[in-house]
Amino acid sequence: MNETVNQRIRKLRKELKLTQNEFSSVITISSGQLACIETEKRVVNDRTIKLICDSFKTNSEWLRTGKGEIFVEDKDNRYNKIIALYDTLKPKYQEFILDAINSFIKMQENE
């Protein structure tokens, strides 16, 4: 039996080791919507697919059809690991990380 796009979304979330709450927060949908998607009570629209692909560097072809690799370009998935780790932090530590990144961006602009 072929996996559906809904099943692949759940598979991706599990691969990233994210809860439904964490995953839905990153792609800016409610955790209830994500639960309905994963249980195939809701059809996945193009906007949701784009948000997932953009947020997690996911291969759109894989997400839609199951063909190809799950992730694009980033073979060691550093980006995905950063997102997953960031989402496990408490909000005060997330703020610290964002402040540090902004500081590095400013430093880089001044080089």
Side-chain angles (χ1 to χ4, degrees):
M1 181 182 136
N2 287 339
E3 283 182 323
T4 65
V5 64
N6 303 62
Q7 291 167 331
R8 283 188 290 279
I9 289 171
R10 179 179 168 87
K11 182 177 185 174
L12 172 65
R13 180 178 63 78
K14 297 279 189 177
E15 173 79 18
L16 294 169
K17 296 178 174 59
L18 297 174
T19 65
Q20 284 183 335
N21 218 17
E22 293 165 336
F23 189 92
S24 63
S25 174
V26 171
I27 63 169
T28 63
I29 66 171
S30 73
S31 57
Q33 284 178 296
L34 180 60
C36 287
I37 287 171
E38 287 188 359
T39 57
E40 301 196 33
K41 294 177 183 167
R42 186 178 199 123
V43 174
V44 182
N45 61 34
D46 288 335
R47 178 184 173 274
T48 301
I49 289 174
K50 180 165 178 24
L51 286 169
I52 290 169
C53 292
D54 291 348
S55 298
F56 299 109
K57 298 224 181 213
T58 306
N59 179 352
S60 176
E61 179 71 13
W62 174 81
L63 195 55
R64 291 175 189 275
T65 68
K67 295 177 183 168
E69 299 295 319
I70 296 176
F71 299 107
V72 292
E73 293 178 31
D74 192 13
K75 294 202 189 270
D76 66 355
N77 299 318
R78 286 181 286 176
Y79 175 83
N80 299 310
K81 289 177 186 174
I82 289 169
I83 293 293
L85 291 170
Y86 175 85
D87 283 337
T88 64
L89 296 172
K90 292 179 181 178
K92 67 180 181 180
Y93 298 118
Q94 288 177 341
E95 266 319 298
F96 177 80
I97 296 296
L98 291 175
D99 289 343
I101 290 170
N102 283 326
S103 294
F104 285 121
I105 290 170
K106 287 178 185 170
M107 286 172 41
Q108 182 173 285
E109 288 170 351
N110 292 329
E111 286 183 357

